[in-house]
Amino acid sequence: MSLRRYVRRRAGWIRGIAGVAAASTLVAGVVVGAPSVPAGTGGAAQAGADALAGSRVVVRRTGFGIPHVLAASYRDVGFGVGYAIAEDNLCGLADDILTVSGQRARFLGADATTPEGVNNLDSDIYHAAVNRSGVLEAALAQPEPLGPSAAARDIVAGYAAGVNRYLAKHPVAGLSDPTCRGAAWVRPITALDVWRRINEIVTLNGGAAFAQEIATAAPPAAGQARMAAPSSRHPVGLLGRGIGSNGWAIGRDATADGTGMLLANPHLPWLPAERFYQMQMTIPGQLDVSGATVFGLPVVAVGHTDGVAWTHTTSTVAPDTLTELSLAPADPTRYLVDGKARSMRRQQITVQVRDAHGVHPVSRTLYRTPDGPVLAVPGLLDWSADIAYVLHDANAGNVRAVDQWLAFNRSQSLADLRAAQRRHNGLPWVNTLAVERSGTVLYNDVQVVPAVSDALADRCATAQSGPLFQATRLVVLDGSRSDCGWGTDPSSVVPGLFGPASLPSLTRTDFVANSNDSPWLTNPAAPLTAFPRIVGDVGTERSLRTRLGLDMIADRVAGTDGFGPPGFTLDTLQATMLGDRNLGAELAKPAVAALCAGTATLPDSAGVPVDVRSACTVLTGWDGRATVGDHGAVLWREFFNRAIAAAGADIWRTPFDPARPLTTPRDLNTDRIEVRTALADAVEAVTAAHLPLDAPIDAAQRYQSIGLGGCTQAEGCFNAIEPPGGLDPNGHYPDVAFGTSFLMATQLTAAGPRTRTLLLYSESGNPASPHFLDQTELYAAGQWVTERFTRVEIATDPALRVEVLDPR
C-alpha cells in the first residue's frame, strides 16, 4: 500500500469510528459510519479501538437483515452478536438452551420430541448426565490451549449478555415471535449455558448423536443371552443421517483472472439445533470476518476475512471409538481389565417431567467408565450378560473449537490457518477447504481424531470390530486390555489424538474439493492415500454427488459446460452451483430411453400392468435438471429413488472399478425387475398425488409454501435439497428439512473480497419478521445476495439500519 493510500484509509477509519462514538444516542434507522479494518494496520487501528473502548456496540443491518457488528473488544463483539441473534432467532436459540439444560420434559412434556426427533425425557436424561459429569467444567478450568483463551471466554460471556439485554428490552410475554411468546422456558442465559450449547455442537457426530441410546442404556436381566451384532446396518452419526456439505477451493490456475475463489455449500438440517446465522464481526485492528455460524456459537464457522476464505464439509472421520467391555460373571455393571474386575461408575440422574398431574421427578441410573458412557443400540450394540459398549467421544469437552475458529476469524493467509490448527487442533468432525488471496488452495482433515493407527485397531480388535466398523464406521477396541487405549502423537496438543502432521493435507494452485467422501480424491490429479482407516477409505466407490462435483469443476475449467470461456469467474461459480444437474439422470436416461422405445406397459410392484407411455415421453424429453419450472423432475425422483432403494448397487450394469472411480458405476440396468417396476410405481405415485406426470420439482418441493428447485443426494445432485418424506395426496413433499443451507461464493482480489451469499431459509425464524422468508424467495428466483463487507459498502446500502447499544 502506498503512503498516500495508507494516510487516506487511516483518516477514513478514524472518521468512521469517531462517528460511531458520537452516535451513542442514535436510534435504529440512522446511518452510522463504521470501519472495516484489515489486520496489520498499526497505530490507526489501535486509535480506532481506543475510540470505541468502553463506549458502544454498533449493530448495522444491511439488506435481508444481515447484521454487521462493530465493537472494541471480544466481549463487546460477542454482546452485539448475541443481541442480534436474539432479535432474529430468540425462540430457536432458547429451544437449544432448553435442550442442553436438560429441561424439555419439565416444560414441554415427556412424550414430545426435540426438533431432531429425540424423546424429550431421553434428551433430558442424556443432557443432565453430561452436565453432571464434570467433563465440560474440567475443560473450562484448563489453561490455553487445552482450555479457552481470554478472548474466547470474553466472546462467550458477551454473547450471553447480549441475549439477556434483548430479553430485558423485550419481555417474553410481549415477544413478536408467536413460537415462544409467553413461554416459561424462555429465560436469561449464562456463559455456562452457551458453553453447554457449544459442547453439544462439537459432539453432534459423537455423544449428541447417541443421546437416546445413552439415556436408555440399562443392564440386562439376569441370564440374558449374548446378542451378536448384525453384519450390516446403516451408519450412525451425521453422515448416516444423510447430512453433509460441498466445498470447493479454486486456485489461480483454474480461475479466469488468476485469483482465488471459494464455494461454501454446507448441508445441515433446517432446524434450530443446526441452523446457520449470517453475520459480520469487526474489532478494529484485531478482527474483521464475515460468514455464518450456528445458533449458540459466537464465532464465524464458515466465512472469509480480507485475505483468506474457508469452508467445512462433514468428514468421514469417526471422532469417537467404541470400547467393548467384557463383563464380569453375574454382574453386568462390572467389567474386566487385564483379568481384574472394575465397577462402572453409576450416575443417578433425576429430571423433572410434566404430565397431566403436574411436574414430578423421574430418575434413571446411567453407567460410564473413564472412557465415557455406556450405550445400547438394539440389534447392533446390545448390552448383554457378558458384553457392553462404551462411547469414547474425542470431542467431549472440546472447548478448543471456539479458539480454533476464532483464530480462523483473524487469519489472513493459509499459513495463519495452519498455525491455528497446530495450536488448537480443535475442529470437530469437519474437513477444511481454504484459499488465500495468492490463489493457493488448501484441503486438510485436521480435526479431532482419536490416535488409533491401523496397527492399534488390528491388535485391539474383537470379534465384533469388523462388522461394527462396516456398520457404523466406529473403531471398536478391546476394553479388556489396558494396552488398548488411544495412542500418542507428538504433533498433537491433546493426548490421545492425532496431530495435524499425521492427518491428510493437500496444497494446490488448481483446486481442492470435498463432498463428504474420504480425502482420497480431493483432487484426482494428486490422490491422497497415506492416512489410517479411522480417517476414511481409499479405492472405494465415490458418491454420485462427489463425482458430479468433480465433473462440474472439470467442465468449467475446460469451458465445456455452456457457461462461457474456460476458467471460473464469480458469476460462473454461482451458475455452476445452481445449475441443478442430476448425475443419476445423466447416467441412467439413455437406458430409460432405450427401455421406453419398445415398451407400452410395465408391471408395478404388485404385478399390475401400468401404461408408461406418457411417462416415457416426459422422461425422454426432460433435460435432466431440477431447476424451478423444469418439467419431469418429480417423476424422475419417484422413479430413481425407488429403483435405488430396491436394487442398490445392482441398479448399474457397469460396476464400480477402482481404476475408473469417476466414471463408474454407470449404465442403468433395465433388465432388473426392480428397475422396471420402479418406473411403474413412480407413475402410480405421481398420479395418486394428483400431479401431472411432467410436474416440475417446485410444484411438489416446498418450504413454507415456497416452491424450491434442487434435488436429493440419492439422485446424484450437488445442490442437495431434501424433503423428509414422500408425496402426499395433495402433491407435496413435506417441507424441506435439510440440505443446502448457507451458500457463499467468494473471490479474493487485490482490491478486497467479492462475495455473494444466500441463506436458503433466511435470517430469521420469526414468522413476524420481514426476514423470515426473504432469502428463500430469492433462492426460488435463482438470485443471490451481494455481500456488504467494507465500511463504504455497508454505509451505502439503501436498506441500512443501525442500532447502537451500550453493553455496560
Side-chain angles (χ1 to χ4, degrees):
M1 180 185 297
S2 69
L3 177 62
R4 179 175 297 177
R5 185 180 175 196
Y6 174 82
V7 170
R8 282 202 308 269
R9 292 189 70 176
R10 180 183 187 277
W13 297 330
I14 294 174
R15 284 196 302 271
I17 293 167
V20 171
S24 60
T25 59
L26 293 179
V27 297
V30 178
V31 175
V32 179
S36 179
V37 184
T41 52
Q46 186 57 51
D50 292 341
L52 267 178
S55 58
R56 300 292 183 265
V57 174
V58 183
V59 180
R60 302 158 292 171
R61 288 188 181 268
T62 53
F64 303 94
I66 298 167
H68 307 255
V69 178
L70 172 69
S73 69
Y74 285 102
R75 189 190 185 284
D76 286 354
V77 83
F79 181 94
V81 170
Y83 186 91
I85 196 168
E87 191 170 26
D88 292 321
N89 294 291
L90 178 65
C91 294
L93 179 62
D95 189 82
D96 290 338
I97 298 300
L98 182 67
T99 297
V100 299
S101 301
Q103 294 187 317
R104 297 189 68 87
R106 174 184 176 185
F107 291 100
L108 306 176
D111 296 330
T113 64
T114 69
E116 294 71 43
V118 177
N119 172 272
N120 277 348
L121 176 57
D122 294 339
S123 173
D124 285 354
I125 293 288
Y126 166 76
H127 283 100
V130 170
N131 296 344
R132 295 171 198 176
S133 71
V135 169
L136 178 59
E137 287 80 359
L140 291 172
Q142 294 265 30
E144 190 188 2
L146 296 182
S149 67
R153 294 179 192 275
D154 284 350
I155 204 167
V156 167
Y159 188 87
V163 172
N164 294 342
R165 176 63 58 83
Y166 182 82
L167 265 174
K169 292 177 64 176
H170 302 85
V172 176
L175 291 175
S176 64
D177 191 342
T179 310
C180 65
R181 183 188 302 132
W185 47 270
V186 180
R187 61 169 175 81
I189 66 175
T190 66
L192 183 59
D193 287 322
V194 180
W195 284 114
R196 286 174 173 171
R197 167 62 180 149
I198 292 166
N199 191 60
E200 182 186 42
I201 293 167
V202 300
T203 60
L204 279 174
N205 213 12
F210 288 99
Q212 195 156 319
E213 290 75 16
I214 292 169
T216 57
Q224 181 175 325
R226 176 175 181 156
M227 300 177 67
S231 60
S232 64
R233 167 97 172 213
H234 290 299
V236 293
L238 291 180
L239 289 178
R241 289 156 56 192
I243 297 167
S245 300
N246 301 311
W248 294 349
I250 309 296
R252 57 182 176 267
D253 296 343
T255 58
D257 57 3
T259 57
M261 295 184 183
L262 183 101
L263 175 67
N265 176 211
H267 303 162
L268 286 180
W270 293 18
L271 301 167
E274 287 120 9
R275 186 167 165 139
F276 280 104
Y277 185 69
Q278 187 174 355
M279 63 185 186
Q280 181 176 0
M281 302 190 301
T282 303
I283 303 173
Q286 299 183 60
L287 180 73
D288 196 10
V289 61
S290 184
T293 189
V294 292
F295 290 9
L297 183 64
V299 289
V300 170
V302 171
H304 71 88
T305 65
D306 194 60
V308 69
W310 76 94
T311 189
H312 302 298
T313 60
T314 303
S315 170
T316 54
V317 164
D320 31 40
T321 62
L322 292 171
T323 304
E324 184 178 303
L325 303 180
S326 296
L327 303 180
D331 188 350
T333 67
R334 287 172 63 79
Y335 60 101
L336 303 175
V337 180
D338 298 334
K340 297 181 180 180
R342 298 181 182 179
S343 294
M344 298 176 184
R345 182 160 70 87
R346 298 170 185 256
Q347 278 187 298
Q348 184 73 17
I349 303 298
T350 300
V351 298
Q352 300 298 313
V353 175
R354 179 178 298 278
D355 61 19
H357 305 289
V359 177
H360 59 90
V362 172
S363 297
R364 287 186 195 164
T365 301
L366 303 187
Y367 298 83
R368 61 186 300 121
T369 74
D371 281 353
V374 178
L375 78 167
V377 180
L380 183 70
L381 302 171
D382 291 292
W383 188 347
S384 67
D386 57 356
I387 193 170
Y389 293 94
V390 169
L391 184 71
H392 195 176
D393 188 351
N395 278 303
N398 174 16
V399 295
R400 304 183 315 283
V402 176
D403 274 301
Q404 176 81 90
W405 271 309
L406 199 53
F408 276 28
N409 292 182
R410 293 187 291 253
S411 293
Q412 295 296 328
S413 67
L414 296 181
D416 291 343
L417 293 186
R418 291 192 194 94
Q421 291 175 318
R422 288 193 299 271
R423 176 165 176 74
H424 301 288
N425 196 18
L427 289 178
W429 48 265
V430 292
N431 303 286
T432 297
L433 300 99
V435 60
E436 64 183 9
R437 191 186 297 117
S438 72
T440 303
V441 298
L442 169 71
Y443 161 86
N444 65 36
D445 202 0
V446 174
Q447 56 159 305
V448 171
V449 185
V452 179
S453 65
D454 292 351
L456 173 60
D458 291 339
R459 179 172 58 82
C460 293
T462 72
Q464 306 303 316
S465 294
L468 285 172
F469 184 78
Q470 290 298 317
T472 67
R473 279 210 47 82
L474 295 177
V475 171
V476 181
L477 299 176
D478 187 352
S480 71
R481 297 165 51 187
S482 60
D483 63 346
C484 284
W486 293 348
T488 58
D489 184 340
S491 73
S492 174
V493 297
V494 182
L497 301 185
F498 280 128
S502 300
L503 295 169
S505 184
L506 183 64
T507 303
R508 305 277 298 179
T509 54
D510 52 357
F511 73 88
V512 291
N514 185 267
S515 291
N516 308 124
D517 273 319
S518 76
W520 177 36
L521 296 181
T522 293
N523 184 305
L528 292 168
T529 58
F531 48 85
R533 62 176 176 264
I534 194 172
V535 171
D537 47 28
V538 171
T540 59
E541 185 177 336
R542 304 291 91 176
S543 72
L544 290 176
R545 181 160 56 88
T546 289
R547 290 169 57 186
L548 177 57
L550 292 172
D551 192 50
M552 290 159 62
I553 293 173
D555 286 351
R556 177 81 302 269
V557 171
T560 56
D561 57 3
F563 292 138
F568 280 94
T569 65
L570 192 55
D571 288 341
T572 58
L573 181 59
Q574 295 172 253
T576 304
M577 171 65 227
L578 294 186
D580 286 325
R581 284 176 58 186
N582 181 322
L583 185 59
E586 293 174 14
L587 296 174
K589 272 189 65 183
V592 171
L595 172 65
C596 284
T599 303
T601 64
L602 289 172
D604 67 11
S605 53
V608 177
V610 175
D611 188 330
V612 296
R613 288 173 294 183
S614 295
C616 283
T617 299
V618 169
L619 294 181
T620 54
W622 174 53
D623 68 359
R625 296 180 184 264
T627 51
V628 169
D630 232 332
H631 294 280
V634 174
L635 178 62
W636 181 267
R637 175 179 297 180
E638 293 302 306
F639 158 61
F640 190 79
N641 285 353
R642 279 175 167 78
I644 284 283
D650 292 334
I651 192 176
W652 303 112
R653 196 179 299 276
T654 301
F656 172 70
D657 180 352
R660 297 178 293 162
L662 300 183
T663 56
T664 60
R666 65 171 187 269
D667 308 320
L668 185 68
N669 186 355
T670 55
D671 292 337
R672 292 195 64 90
I673 188 62
E674 298 95 335
V675 173
R676 300 165 80 90
T677 59
L679 181 53
D681 288 343
V683 171
E684 292 179 321
V686 174
T687 302
H690 302 98
L691 284 171
L693 293 177
D694 67 347
I697 196 64
D698 52 298
Q701 182 169 265
R702 297 140 67 92
Y703 180 72
Q704 299 288 338
S705 299
I706 298 173
L708 302 180
C711 46
T712 63
Q713 298 172 87
E715 293 171 80
C717 296
F718 190 77
N719 178 27
I721 299 293
E722 307 271 353
L727 288 169
D728 66 21
N730 297 315
H732 298 142
Y733 294 109
D735 262 18
V736 172
F738 68 89
T740 293
S741 309
F742 174 65
L743 282 172
M744 184 180 77
T746 296
Q747 179 181 23
L748 299 176
T749 74
R754 298 174 57 225
T755 303
R756 314 277 169 76
T757 65
L758 201 56
L759 191 61
L760 269 66
Y761 34 66
S762 304
E763 190 78 329
S764 177
N766 178 359
S769 169
H771 308 302
F772 178 56
L773 292 173
D774 51 357
Q775 291 195 59
T776 312
E777 293 168 343
L778 207 64
Y779 168 70
Q783 299 176 19
W784 298 57
V785 176
T786 298
E787 182 191 73
R788 304 280 181 156
F789 183 69
T790 68
R791 176 178 63 86
V792 171
E793 289 168 347
I794 295 167
T796 56
D797 188 334
L800 183 67
R801 293 182 296 113
V802 177
E803 189 165 7
V804 181
L805 307 169
D806 186 343
R808 308 304 169 208

